[in-house]
């Protein structure tokens, strides 16, 4: 029997734990605050931001939203970040990516105070993660670790393959899997678009994490019997639905399910964890900045 992983229930449990932390912080007059900044006309980006705001509200986290005209000069975004860095009510800052082409992404990431960098993308936080001393683990790969933990899927000694080497998913995922730590100790191979014979690599893996952004590129033939398959992909494809599209993953769920021991669906797999871990990092940020101790889930 293949286990279909329920990301919503794992996320709900983490959010319940974060909610307790928020109560502790609020009782000490340190209600966590998350600022979101959107500089885009993209509908999907706006949806992601509003989902994050809604979850903040549900958990008692203050949310502050700022929109910047995508045509505005980059300096407008930079000065908004400076303002938020200086605002004591804001513990976490999230600039929704992608930003317009005329805005240098690296400058954005460098500009955010590393203590408020709840995405974990500032070079200081990336360095700490690689060095095994993470402050804020990037939300999506951290969420994958939480899923594996919730389902008692052992990473220690496992052969793991990560498909994708982006700064936001693939690289930090691989870095977490190789750490000498809980949720790590895996022998990890990172694959990308130049990898030779991807199928040979994924087929031999105990754990396959796919974050390629290519709809259904990994199918059952590429999965070894009993492997754990984590599908990070979220692809909008045209469909005859009310919205005119549907969301599908980077894994061909139906065929992969025939081989996998456990598999995440899309939607309802990794996605909910990304938001839960953002809330986690925001509570952690408020704790680190205020000195109020909390017991994170
Ligand atoms: P990127 O486009 O930044 O990176 C994709 C990576 O996949 C690249 O490293 C690329 O290789 C590699 N790749 C692309 N095609 C192939 C291929 N045919 N074979 C092997 N490797 C390939 O994507 P992201 O990491 O930002 O996102 C990946 C997916 O995850 C997307 O669908 C995105 O929507 C989703 N996502 C989901 C989140 C969630 O909350 N569940 C959060 C973030 C992302 P190369 O480097 O050589 O180009």
């Amino acid at each position: 029997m293949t286990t279909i992983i329920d990301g919503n229930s794992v996320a709900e449990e983490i959010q319940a734990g974060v909610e307790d932390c928020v109560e502790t912080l609020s009782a000490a007059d340190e209600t966590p605050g998350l600022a979101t900044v959107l500089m885009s006309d993209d509908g999907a980006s706006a949806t992601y931001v509003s989902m994050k705001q809604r979850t903040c509200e549900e958990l008692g986290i203050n949310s502050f939203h700022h929109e910047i005209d995508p045509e505005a000069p980059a300096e407008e975004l930079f000065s908004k970040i400076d303002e938020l860095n200086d605002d004591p009510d804001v513990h976490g800052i999230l600039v929704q990516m992608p930003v317009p082409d005329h805005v240098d992404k690296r400058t954005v990431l460098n500009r955010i105070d590393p203590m408020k960098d709840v995405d974990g993308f500032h070079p200081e936080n990336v360095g700490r993660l690689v060095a095994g001393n993470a402050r804020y683990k990037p939300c999506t790969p951290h969420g994958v670790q939480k899923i594996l933990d919730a389902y008692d899927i052992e990473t220690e000694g496992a052969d793991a393959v990560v498909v994708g080497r982006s700064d936001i998913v693939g690289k930090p995922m691989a870095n977490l899997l190789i750490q000498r730590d809980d949720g790590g100790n895996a022998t990890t191979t990172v694959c990308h678009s130049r990898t030779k014979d991807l199928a040979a690599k994924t087929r031999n893996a105990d754990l396959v994490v796919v974050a390629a952004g290519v709809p259904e590129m990994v199918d059952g033939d590429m999965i070894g019997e009993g492997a754990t398959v984590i599908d990070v992909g979220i692809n909008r494809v045209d469909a005859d639905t009310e919205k005119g599209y549907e969301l599908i993953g980077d894994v061909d769920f139906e065929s992969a399910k025939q081989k996998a021991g456990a598999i995440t669906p899309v939607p309802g797999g990794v996605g909910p964890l990304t938001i839960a871990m953002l809330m986690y990092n925001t509570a952690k940020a408020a704790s680190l900045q205020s000195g109020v101790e909390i017991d994170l889930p």
Side-chain angles (χ1 to χ4, degrees):
M1 270 296 284
T2 305
T3 302
I4 310 297
I5 290 170
D6 181 357
N8 285 309
S9 79
V10 180
E12 272 166 29
E13 206 161 302
I14 289 170
Q15 285 176 193
V18 171
E19 198 171 4
D20 291 343
C21 295
V22 173
E23 273 174 26
T24 306
L25 288 156
S26 297
D29 266 343
E30 290 291 346
T31 304
L34 175 69
T36 49
V37 185
L38 179 65
M39 188 176 185
S40 165
D41 284 333
D42 176 49
S45 292
T47 306
Y48 290 141
V49 169
S50 63
M51 283 162 72
K52 289 164 186 172
Q53 289 171 282
R54 203 170 53 229
T55 313
C56 279
E57 267 169 47
E58 284 167 14
L59 302 189
I61 294 173
N62 289 329
S63 77
F64 309 97
H65 182 57
H66 302 272
E67 287 194 17
I68 295 179
D69 186 338
E71 310 279 320
E75 202 45 53
E76 208 168 302
L77 174 59
F78 301 153
S79 53
K80 178 56 73 184
I81 294 171
D82 293 345
E83 192 188 299
L84 297 170
N85 282 340
D86 290 340
D87 184 341
D89 292 334
V90 171
H91 302 97
I93 302 170
L94 181 142
V95 177
Q96 185 65 43
M97 295 291 165
V99 287
D101 289 345
H102 68 279
V103 180
D104 179 49
K105 194 180 117 188
R106 279 184 202 280
T107 309
V108 175
L109 301 181
N110 288 342
R111 195 88 169 208
I112 297 173
D113 179 343
M115 293 302 291
K116 297 191 176 189
D117 167 42
V118 284
D119 263 335
F121 298 154
H122 187 286
E124 181 179 313
N125 288 320
V126 175
R128 290 182 64 125
L129 174 78
V130 174
N133 181 28
R135 178 187 285 138
Y136 304 120
K137 293 183 185 178
C139 303
T140 303
H142 193 189
V144 172
Q145 275 193 318
K146 291 288 186 190
I147 284 180
L148 297 175
D149 182 48
Y151 280 82
D152 289 328
I153 295 166
E154 188 55 81
T155 55
E156 183 167 329
D159 287 324
V161 167
V162 178
V163 184
R165 57 173 165 184
S166 72
D167 293 337
I168 62 168
V169 190
K171 278 187 210 160
M173 184 75 254
N175 271 314
L176 288 173
L177 286 169
I178 60 170
Q179 293 303 321
R180 190 177 301 176
D181 201 355
D182 292 343
N185 287 314
T187 305
T188 306
T189 305
V190 183
C191 299
H192 44 75
S193 66
R194 317 292 163 88
T195 295
K196 280 190 289 181
D197 200 356
L198 178 67
K201 306 211 166 37
T202 55
R203 216 177 275 136
N204 281 322
D206 304 308
L207 167 64
V208 183
V209 182
V210 191
V214 181
E216 297 181 337
M217 65 163 281
V218 170
D219 64 17
D221 282 344
M222 297 170 73
I223 300 298
E225 206 67 57
T228 299
V229 180
I230 304 289
D231 187 354
V232 178
I234 301 178
N235 306 288
R236 268 190 195 210
V237 294
D238 292 341
D240 193 13
T241 61
E242 203 178 309
K243 290 180 175 165
Y245 66 85
E246 65 176 342
L247 298 179
I248 61 169
D250 289 350
V251 173
D252 174 23
F253 183 77
E254 287 309 321
S255 67
K257 189 176 74 172
Q258 307 302 322
K259 300 287 270 307
I263 184 167
T264 58
V266 176
V270 176
L273 267 301
T274 297
I275 294 189
M277 301 324 293
L278 176 66
M279 302 299 126
Y280 176 109
N281 279 352
T282 304
K284 184 169 187 182
S287 168
L288 292 175
Q289 285 160 53
S290 64
V292 175
E293 285 187 20
I294 53 172
D295 191 11
L296 283 161

